[in-house]
Amino acid sequence: MKKKTIMCIVVLIVAAIVSATVVSCKKDKDKVVTKNTNSEVQTLLKRVNDFQTLRDAVNSGAKADGSMTVEEMRQALDLVSNYEHSEHMTYCLSTVLDTLHLVMPAVDGEGLVSEADAVATYNAFETALEKCMLGVKDGMDVPSYFSIVMPKAGAKDDNINIVFIRGEVDTNYNDIRNPFDEDDNYKWGLSYGLCDPIGPFNSTTDAAKELSRRLVFRPSSGHEGQSYILYNVEHVVYTAKSCHSSNVQELENAIVYEDHNMEDCADTWLYWQSGEFEVEPCIYYDEMNCYNRCFYRNFLRPNAPLSYGPETNSPYHECLIHSYHLWGPETSKRSVRMHAAFVVYCHIVWSEPVLPPVY
């Protein structure tokens, strides 16, 4: 029986690891240094610098009498956290979503938050991030793409949730195949390797990871040597079918999307197989290419249905495919092998390399 697997994919945004990064992890040593002339870059860097100056003053004991709207605070947290702490220009393939929970500061009758409280919230973010990263045991210690999710009116959760990616550095940055050829037949997931490996068992890859290699954002050659600034980041998890009974936390709020233009080369646009197998299912090269076309159709082509974030309306940036072996509800003995698409939406602005501060 032909195993129908999933995924989607690509536009190959070619090439080249960018050499300079715009991040610093120490709040007292990260002043903006730039010679950029691009007006949008200058505007963003001014906003970063203004908040850094405010933070330094408040943290030094100066009295802050000003205030800002809740949206202005969200924008500051979004922009500065990604400028100072996101390592988004480090290539990671194995990733997981993580969340920091911050107390929402008081909002006055006019919908304003004090500048002192905004700074305190950012300080709390840095403390929570440091604690989180010190506790990492799974090797995924590269944080990136911080998304600021504000509490919604009437919701039980009144925290500010900061959702971000933790990843493990991958050295096979340019190890991608386009298209997949006859030897590119992979077990469906969980690092089960090739279907018919030559030599020792390959436990470092699988169909999900090979599809992901094509989905990770790669700067074009025209931006070599530049870095990019992020804002309005949003994380969305997509599945081809509902999996809420799986008890997998990161899939609890996944959006179920059905592709109504599916080709007959796969059953669903993301891999989904139910049942028991003596040998783990394979995804063969023709289906791998089918998922690539699915991804282009749903994310990358003009006016694609999933090309903008549902909350932020930020454009598609990159995607990683995660694989799961899920057992059914207590009354069911059958299991499901599936892929999920973890998509990052955000705006990026290209910048010339930023020189590190001189200490």
Side-chain angles (χ1 to χ4, degrees), residues 89-127:
M89 297 183 70
T90 300
Y91 177 68
C92 296
L93 193 60
S94 297
T95 64
V96 65
L97 280 183
D98 211 333
T99 303
L100 306 175
H101 306 283
L102 307 180
V103 176
M104 178 67 188
V107 181
D108 68 17
E110 296 180 349
L112 301 177
V113 175
S114 73
E115 290 181 340
D117 283 350
V119 169
T121 301
Y122 189 83
N123 291 343
F125 152 71
E126 290 194 312
T127 300

Side-chain angles (χ1 to χ4, degrees), residues 44-324:
L44 293 177
L45 291 180
K46 182 180 184 304
R47 287 169 55 195
V48 171
N49 189 68
D50 288 347
F51 188 83
Q52 290 173 330
T53 301
L54 170 66
R55 178 189 60 195
D56 290 348
V58 171
N59 289 344
S60 297
K63 185 177 180 181
D65 296 325
S67 59
M68 61 182 71
T69 67
V70 171
E71 174 59 18
E72 286 171 338
M73 181 181 70
R74 186 203 67 80
Q75 291 178 9
L77 295 174
D78 169 89
L79 183 59
V80 180
S81 64
N82 281 296
Y83 184 84
E84 294 186 339
H85 296 284
S86 175
E87 299 180 40
H88 47 270
M89 297 183 70
T90 300
Y91 177 68
C92 296
L93 193 60
S94 297
T95 64
V96 65
L97 280 183
D98 211 333
T99 303
L100 306 175
H101 306 283
L102 307 180
V103 176
M104 178 67 188
V107 181
D108 68 17
E110 296 180 349
L112 301 177
V113 175
S114 73
E115 290 181 340
D117 283 350
V119 169
T121 301
Y122 189 83
N123 291 343
F125 152 71
E126 290 194 312
T127 300
L129 178 63
E130 181 180 20
K131 181 180 179 180
C132 174
M133 300 312 296
L134 287 174
V136 168
K137 305 297 183 184
D138 55 12
M140 299 181 192
D141 58 359
V142 179
S144 61
Y145 297 106
F146 295 96
S147 174
I148 314 301
V149 182
M150 305 300 291
K152 294 184 178 180
K156 293 182 180 179
D157 183 0
D158 59 356
N159 290 323
I160 299 174
N161 294 322
I162 301 185
V163 184
F164 67 105
I165 291 174
R166 287 192 291 107
E168 182 177 13
V169 176
D170 193 292
T171 58
N172 298 318
Y173 186 80
N174 290 314
D175 183 18
I176 56 175
R177 295 163 177 78
N178 186 32
F180 293 104
D181 61 33
E182 294 182 1
D183 294 326
D184 294 319
N185 307 311
Y186 296 93
K187 297 288 187 179
W188 66 276
L190 302 183
S191 297
Y192 286 143
L194 288 161
C195 298
D196 300 301
I198 300 174
F201 175 70
N202 180 356
S203 61
T204 63
T205 192
D206 55 44
K209 288 184 178 180
E210 292 305 317
L211 289 165
S212 294
R213 291 191 197 283
R214 296 159 151 247
L215 297 168
V216 172
F217 177 72
R218 287 176 169 81
S220 67
S221 56
H223 292 295
E224 185 173 357
Q226 292 182 303
S227 54
Y228 55 94
I229 301 172
L230 308 174
Y231 67 98
N232 278 355
V233 180
E234 181 178 4
H235 295 284
V236 182
V237 179
Y238 294 98
T239 58
K241 294 185 179 182
S242 175
C243 53
H244 290 177
S245 63
S246 66
N247 296 320
V248 177
Q249 184 174 0
E250 58 264 39
L251 299 180
E252 287 182 356
N253 297 314
I255 294 176
V256 180
Y257 174 74
E258 295 183 10
D259 186 342
H260 297 292
N261 297 305
M262 276 303 303
E263 308 167 54
D264 60 6
C265 52
D267 292 331
T268 52
W269 72 282
L270 288 173
Y271 174 72
W272 182 282
Q273 278 288 322
S274 61
E276 298 305 316
F277 302 92
E278 292 183 5
V279 178
E280 289 296 330
C282 278
I283 298 178
Y284 296 98
Y285 78 96
D286 54 341
E287 288 192 73
M288 297 284 280
N289 287 321
C290 182
Y291 293 129
N292 286 346
R293 294 193 295 273
C294 286
F295 194 83
Y296 177 81
R297 182 169 63 247
N298 290 314
F299 285 91
L300 297 174
R301 67 173 172 77
N303 300 316
L306 304 179
S307 57
Y308 289 91
E311 296 292 334
T312 61
N313 202 39
S314 294
Y316 166 85
H317 181 67
E318 72 171 14
C319 174
L320 289 177
I321 305 307
H322 290 210
S323 58
Y324 299 94

